Amino acid sequence: MRRGYTIYESSLLGPIGIVVCEKGVEAIFLKEDGFKAYQKINPDLERDEMLCGEAKKQIEEYFKGERQVFQLDLVVEGTTFQKKVWEGLKQIPYGETISYKELAERIGNPKAQRAVGGANGANPIPLIVPCHRVIGKNGKMVGFMGNQIDIKEKLLAHELKYKS
């Protein structure tokens, strides 16, 4: 199966790595060092602008404030629970936030806040599966890509700017 990558140069976050196969988007890297590590363990991965064209176009539209919902096929591997959390993330409206507790309740596991946080952190397709829209129950920015709270804040501010 054909796989490839491209880089979208975001003025908000810097270079964003996009990995796509023939079935859909496999991974998004919002940090350059994460993408470089991925390339090291996938040395056969080649740049493929054609294969990644639609994903790159929709990400560009998002950053221009022209797109609020992604319409891309996704290829994600994870546990049944993780996939349930990731589907729950896709239901959070653009420019809005919910708590980990609220997300746990929405997916039918009200006591699984920590597990929801773990699944959120394991999301291989941030931005498209908007894990940045989940915050602490006290309204504070917590737990994003390790400790990359600044990225979460930038993405939420961007969405508030363009929210219709």
Side-chain angles (χ1 to χ4, degrees), residues 111-139:
K111 295 184 180 186
Q113 297 171 54
R114 287 181 187 244
V116 163
N120 212 31
N123 174 14
I125 309 178
L127 189 65
I128 295 172
V129 176
C131 50
H132 61 278
R133 297 181 188 154
V134 183
I135 60 175
K137 68 180 176 182
N138 59 2

Side-chain angles (χ1 to χ4, degrees), residues 13 62-63 127 132 151-159:
L13 302 179
Y62 170 86
F63 281 107
L127 189 65
H132 61 278
I151 294 175
K152 180 183 270 197
E153 290 171 337
K154 287 177 184 178
L155 290 172
L156 290 172
H158 169 78
E159 291 183 7

